[in-house]
Amino acid sequence: MPGTNPHSNRREEVPPDQFEAFIKSLPAHGYVGANITIPHKEAALAASEPDDRARAVGAANTLWLDDGRLRSTNTDVEGFIDNLDAAVPYWDRDDGEAVVLGAGGSSRAIVYGLIERGFETIHVVNRTLDRAQALRERFGSAVQPANTTALPHLLKRAGLLVNTTSLGMKGQPDLEFSLSQLPQNAVVTDIVYTPLRTRLLDEAAARGNVVVEGLGMLLHQAVRGFSLWFGVTPEVTQE
Protein backbone atom coordinates (compact mmCIF):
# COMPACT_ATOMS: atom_id res chain seq x y z
CA MET A 1 0.00 0.00 0.00
CA PRO A 2 1.82 3.17 -1.16
CA GLY A 3 2.06 5.96 1.37
CA THR A 4 2.39 8.80 -1.12
CA ASN A 5 -1.28 8.73 -2.13
CA PRO A 6 -3.69 8.01 0.74
CA HIS A 7 -5.98 5.01 0.24
CA SER A 8 -4.19 3.89 -2.93
CA ASN A 9 -2.82 0.44 -3.63
CA ARG A 10 -1.05 -1.63 -6.25
CA ARG A 11 0.21 -5.15 -6.79
CA GLU A 12 3.86 -6.12 -7.09
CA GLU A 13 5.28 -9.13 -8.90
CA VAL A 14 8.23 -10.23 -6.79
CA PRO A 15 10.24 -13.44 -7.45
CA PRO A 16 10.22 -15.78 -4.43
CA ASP A 17 13.97 -15.45 -3.85
CA GLN A 18 13.57 -11.65 -3.58
CA PHE A 19 10.51 -11.70 -1.34
CA GLU A 20 12.23 -11.03 1.98
CA ALA A 21 14.42 -8.26 0.56
CA PHE A 22 11.40 -6.56 -1.00
CA ILE A 23 9.19 -6.51 2.09
CA LYS A 24 12.08 -5.29 4.24
CA SER A 25 12.46 -2.31 1.86
CA LEU A 26 8.78 -1.28 1.71
CA PRO A 27 9.49 2.39 2.60
CA ALA A 28 11.96 2.67 -0.28
CA HIS A 29 9.21 1.57 -2.64
CA GLY A 30 6.75 4.10 -1.22
CA TYR A 31 4.68 1.68 0.88
CA VAL A 32 3.23 1.99 4.37
CA GLY A 33 2.31 -1.70 4.45
CA ALA A 34 1.25 -4.71 2.40
CA ASN A 35 -1.07 -7.67 2.13
CA ILE A 36 0.59 -11.04 1.55
CA THR A 37 -1.07 -13.91 -0.28
CA ILE A 38 -0.28 -17.59 -0.79
CA PRO A 39 2.31 -19.06 -0.69
CA HIS A 40 4.30 -16.39 1.19
CA LYS A 41 2.47 -16.02 4.52
CA GLU A 42 4.90 -18.12 6.54
CA ALA A 43 7.87 -16.31 4.98
CA ALA A 44 6.25 -12.97 5.86
CA LEU A 45 5.97 -14.09 9.47
CA ALA A 46 9.65 -15.00 9.62
CA ALA A 47 10.79 -11.71 8.04
CA SER A 48 8.80 -9.41 10.36
CA GLU A 49 7.88 -8.73 13.99
CA PRO A 50 4.61 -10.66 14.43
CA ASP A 51 1.91 -9.84 16.96
CA ASP A 52 0.35 -12.50 19.19
CA ARG A 53 -2.29 -13.43 16.61
CA ALA A 54 0.19 -13.99 13.77
CA ARG A 55 2.52 -15.90 16.09
CA ALA A 56 -0.30 -18.15 17.28
CA VAL A 57 -1.46 -18.87 13.74
CA GLY A 58 2.07 -19.33 12.40
CA ALA A 59 1.45 -17.15 9.33
CA ALA A 60 1.16 -13.44 8.53
CA ASN A 61 -0.92 -11.84 5.80
CA THR A 62 -0.74 -8.16 6.79
CA LEU A 63 2.39 -6.04 7.17
CA TRP A 64 2.67 -2.46 8.38
CA LEU A 65 5.39 -0.04 9.39
CA ASP A 66 5.54 1.08 13.02
CA ASP A 67 8.24 3.72 13.64
CA GLY A 68 10.43 2.03 11.06
CA ARG A 69 9.77 -1.50 12.35
CA LEU A 70 8.16 -4.03 10.03
CA ARG A 71 5.25 -5.46 12.01
CA SER A 72 2.85 -8.23 11.01
CA THR A 73 -0.49 -9.70 11.97
CA ASN A 74 -2.99 -12.19 10.61
CA THR A 75 -6.38 -10.84 9.59
CA ASP A 76 -7.41 -14.01 7.73
CA VAL A 77 -8.91 -15.27 10.98
CA GLU A 78 -11.51 -12.52 11.30
CA GLY A 79 -11.84 -12.35 7.52
CA PHE A 80 -12.97 -15.97 7.39
CA ILE A 81 -15.19 -15.87 10.49
CA ASP A 82 -16.79 -12.48 9.74
CA ASN A 83 -17.57 -13.53 6.17
CA LEU A 84 -19.41 -16.64 7.34
CA ASP A 85 -21.22 -14.70 10.06
CA ALA A 86 -22.44 -12.18 7.50
CA ALA A 87 -23.41 -14.73 4.83
CA VAL A 88 -24.79 -17.59 6.95
CA PRO A 89 -25.49 -16.48 10.53
CA TYR A 90 -26.26 -20.05 11.65
CA TRP A 91 -23.16 -21.67 10.15
CA ASP A 92 -21.65 -22.67 13.51
CA ARG A 93 -24.82 -23.85 15.27
CA ASP A 94 -24.70 -27.40 13.94
CA ASP A 95 -22.92 -30.25 15.71
CA GLY A 96 -21.20 -31.30 12.47
CA GLU A 97 -17.47 -31.55 12.09
CA ALA A 98 -15.35 -29.28 9.89
CA VAL A 99 -13.37 -30.52 6.91
CA VAL A 100 -10.59 -28.18 5.80
CA LEU A 101 -8.80 -28.83 2.51
CA GLY A 102 -5.17 -27.75 2.56
CA ALA A 103 -2.58 -27.16 5.26
CA GLY A 104 -0.85 -23.92 4.24
CA GLY A 105 -0.85 -20.45 5.80
CA SER A 106 -4.53 -19.77 5.06
CA SER A 107 -5.51 -23.13 6.51
CA ARG A 108 -3.69 -22.28 9.72
CA ALA A 109 -5.71 -19.09 10.15
CA ILE A 110 -8.98 -20.85 9.41
CA VAL A 111 -8.26 -23.73 11.79
CA TYR A 112 -7.33 -21.23 14.49
CA GLY A 113 -10.62 -19.37 13.93
CA LEU A 114 -12.67 -22.56 14.01
CA ILE A 115 -11.10 -23.61 17.30
CA GLU A 116 -11.87 -20.16 18.73
CA ARG A 117 -15.49 -20.71 17.62
CA GLY A 118 -15.65 -23.96 19.54
CA PHE A 119 -15.23 -26.62 16.84
CA GLU A 120 -13.96 -29.75 18.56
CA THR A 121 -13.17 -31.81 15.45
CA ILE A 122 -11.47 -30.29 12.40
CA HIS A 123 -10.26 -32.69 9.73
CA VAL A 124 -7.32 -31.15 7.87
CA VAL A 125 -6.99 -32.94 4.54
CA ASN A 126 -3.77 -32.54 2.60
CA ARG A 127 -1.93 -34.45 -0.11
CA THR A 128 1.15 -34.60 2.12
CA LEU A 129 0.11 -35.81 5.55
CA ASP A 130 3.07 -34.31 7.39
CA ARG A 131 1.81 -30.78 6.60
CA ALA A 132 -1.54 -31.62 8.15
CA GLN A 133 0.18 -33.22 11.15
CA ALA A 134 2.10 -29.99 11.69
CA LEU A 135 -1.24 -28.22 12.30
CA ARG A 136 -2.16 -30.80 14.92
CA GLU A 137 1.18 -30.20 16.63
CA ARG A 138 0.48 -26.46 16.62
CA PHE A 139 -3.22 -26.42 17.54
CA GLY A 140 -3.79 -29.64 19.46
CA SER A 141 -6.18 -32.57 19.43
CA ALA A 142 -9.07 -30.73 17.72
CA VAL A 143 -7.09 -31.12 14.49
CA GLN A 144 -7.39 -34.53 12.83
CA PRO A 145 -4.85 -34.92 9.98
CA ALA A 146 -5.96 -36.92 6.93
CA ASN A 147 -4.99 -37.47 3.33
CA THR A 148 -7.31 -37.12 0.37
CA THR A 149 -8.26 -40.80 0.25
CA ALA A 150 -10.20 -40.31 3.51
CA LEU A 151 -12.45 -37.58 2.07
CA PRO A 152 -15.55 -39.68 1.23
CA HIS A 153 -15.70 -40.97 4.80
CA LEU A 154 -15.00 -37.58 6.40
CA LEU A 155 -17.61 -35.73 4.33
CA LYS A 156 -20.41 -37.86 5.79
CA ARG A 157 -20.09 -36.09 9.16
CA ALA A 158 -19.21 -32.61 7.89
CA GLY A 159 -21.23 -29.56 8.81
CA LEU A 160 -18.67 -27.29 7.15
CA LEU A 161 -16.40 -27.85 4.16
CA VAL A 162 -13.66 -25.29 3.48
CA ASN A 163 -11.24 -25.14 0.57
CA THR A 164 -8.07 -23.26 1.54
CA THR A 165 -5.98 -24.48 -1.41
CA SER A 166 -5.37 -22.67 -4.69
CA LEU A 167 -7.11 -25.47 -6.61
CA GLY A 168 -10.04 -24.05 -8.51
CA MET A 169 -8.37 -20.66 -8.88
CA LYS A 170 -8.06 -19.22 -12.38
CA GLY A 171 -5.09 -20.90 -14.05
CA GLN A 172 -5.06 -23.80 -11.55
CA PRO A 173 -6.60 -27.28 -11.83
CA ASP A 174 -10.01 -27.85 -10.25
CA LEU A 175 -10.55 -29.89 -7.12
CA GLU A 176 -11.38 -33.42 -8.18
CA PHE A 177 -13.58 -35.27 -5.67
CA SER A 178 -17.25 -36.13 -5.25
CA LEU A 179 -19.58 -34.30 -2.89
CA SER A 180 -22.07 -37.18 -2.90
CA GLN A 181 -21.38 -38.06 0.75
CA LEU A 182 -21.72 -34.48 2.01
CA PRO A 183 -24.93 -33.75 3.99
CA GLN A 184 -27.19 -31.24 2.23
CA ASN A 185 -27.30 -29.06 5.34
CA ALA A 186 -23.52 -28.61 5.30
CA VAL A 187 -22.09 -25.17 4.45
CA VAL A 188 -19.42 -25.07 1.71
CA THR A 189 -17.01 -22.17 1.40
CA ASP A 190 -13.96 -21.49 -0.77
CA ILE A 191 -11.28 -18.89 -0.08
CA VAL A 192 -10.63 -18.64 -3.85
CA TYR A 193 -12.26 -15.50 -5.31
CA THR A 194 -10.97 -15.64 -8.90
CA PRO A 195 -13.30 -16.89 -10.27
CA LEU A 196 -15.96 -15.72 -7.84
CA ARG A 197 -17.80 -19.04 -8.12
CA THR A 198 -15.44 -21.99 -8.30
CA ARG A 199 -16.41 -25.40 -9.58
CA LEU A 200 -16.58 -26.61 -5.97
CA LEU A 201 -19.17 -23.96 -5.08
CA ASP A 202 -21.16 -24.54 -8.26
CA GLU A 203 -21.36 -28.27 -7.61
CA ALA A 204 -22.29 -27.75 -3.95
CA ALA A 205 -25.00 -25.23 -4.82
CA ALA A 206 -26.41 -27.54 -7.49
CA ARG A 207 -26.99 -30.25 -4.90
CA GLY A 208 -28.62 -27.87 -2.42
CA ASN A 209 -25.79 -26.89 -0.08
CA VAL A 210 -25.46 -23.32 1.14
CA VAL A 211 -22.27 -21.86 -0.36
CA VAL A 212 -20.15 -18.87 0.65
CA GLU A 213 -17.83 -17.21 -1.85
CA GLY A 214 -14.26 -16.19 -1.08
CA LEU A 215 -14.61 -12.52 -2.00
CA GLY A 216 -16.27 -11.79 1.34
CA MET A 217 -13.28 -13.16 3.22
CA LEU A 218 -10.98 -10.97 1.13
CA LEU A 219 -13.03 -7.88 2.01
CA HIS A 220 -13.43 -8.64 5.70
CA GLN A 221 -9.74 -9.45 6.21
CA ALA A 222 -8.85 -6.10 4.64
CA VAL A 223 -10.63 -4.03 7.29
CA ARG A 224 -7.96 -4.15 9.99
CA GLY A 225 -5.12 -3.80 7.49
CA PHE A 226 -6.69 -0.68 6.00
CA SER A 227 -7.04 0.74 9.50
CA LEU A 228 -3.39 0.02 10.32
CA TRP A 229 -2.17 1.61 7.07
CA PHE A 230 -4.39 4.66 6.80
CA GLY A 231 -6.06 5.21 10.20
CA VAL A 232 -9.52 4.68 8.67
CA THR A 233 -11.71 1.67 9.47
CA PRO A 234 -13.88 0.78 6.44
CA GLU A 235 -17.22 -1.01 6.59
CA VAL A 236 -17.95 -4.08 4.49
CA THR A 237 -21.40 -3.83 2.91
CA GLN A 238 -23.30 -6.17 0.61
CA GLU A 239 -22.94 -3.68 -2.22
Side-chain angles (χ1 to χ4, degrees):
M1 291 294 168
T4 54
N5 183 13
H7 308 176
S8 66
N9 65 86
R10 65 177 180 258
R11 291 182 295 179
E12 294 280 2
E13 185 175 359
V14 181
D17 61 349
Q18 298 175 28
F19 174 76
E20 183 175 349
F22 181 87
I23 65 170
K24 286 187 173 180
S25 61
L26 288 177
H29 292 86
Y31 288 96
V32 297
N35 254 149
I36 307 300
T37 189
I38 54 176
H40 302 300
K41 296 179 182 183
E42 292 164 73
L45 180 85
S48 61
E49 297 181 38
D51 65 4
D52 290 342
R53 169 61 64 83
R55 195 175 293 111
V57 171
N61 76 315
T62 301
L63 303 172
W64 79 99
L65 295 171
D66 180 13
D67 290 330
R69 298 160 58 197
L70 182 63
R71 303 283 304 279
S72 66
T73 188
N74 192 302
T75 65
D76 280 337
V77 178
E78 64 254 48
F80 176 74
I81 298 295
D82 291 351
N83 185 36
L84 284 176
D85 282 344
V88 193
Y90 57 84
W91 70 275
D92 60 346
R93 296 176 190 170
D94 194 5
D95 292 331
E97 301 171 356
V99 175
V100 176
L101 308 178
S106 297
S107 177
R108 291 181 178 212
I110 286 167
V111 168
Y112 182 89
L114 291 175
I115 291 172
E116 280 195 327
R117 261 306 162 92
F119 277 75
E120 296 180 355
T121 304
I122 304 165
H123 301 283
V124 177
V125 181
N126 202 57
R127 285 177 297 180
T128 52
L129 193 59
D130 59 336
R131 292 275 288 174
Q133 289 171 336
L135 268 69
R136 181 181 175 88
E137 293 170 6
R138 174 173 289 274
F139 298 118
S141 60
V143 176
Q144 301 293 319
N147 57 37
T148 53
T149 58
L151 257 181
H153 172 69
L154 299 178
L155 290 178
K156 293 179 181 179
R157 305 193 302 272
L160 176 70
L161 173 63
V162 188
N163 176 39
T164 75
T165 76
S166 61
L167 294 176
M169 185 182 294
K170 184 178 181 181
Q172 297 290 330
D174 284 319
L175 284 162
E176 296 289 349
F177 66 94
S178 172
L179 294 175
S180 61
Q181 300 299 314
L182 185 70
Q184 283 195 312
N185 63 347
V187 176
V188 180
T189 184
D190 199 326
I191 70 168
V192 171
Y193 52 87
T194 307
L196 190 59
R197 289 291 291 265
T198 60
R199 176 176 166 183
L200 172 65
L201 295 187
D202 282 340
E203 291 182 355
R207 64 189 304 275
N209 292 99
V210 173
V211 300
V212 181
E213 298 163 353
L215 181 60
M217 177 178 171
L218 176 72
L219 296 173
H220 282 283
Q221 67 82 28
V223 170
R224 187 151 59 98
F226 200 94
S227 178
L228 288 167
W229 300 323
F230 303 124
V232 176
T233 301
E235 178 185 359
V236 178
T237 65
Q238 184 62 36
E239 290 75 18

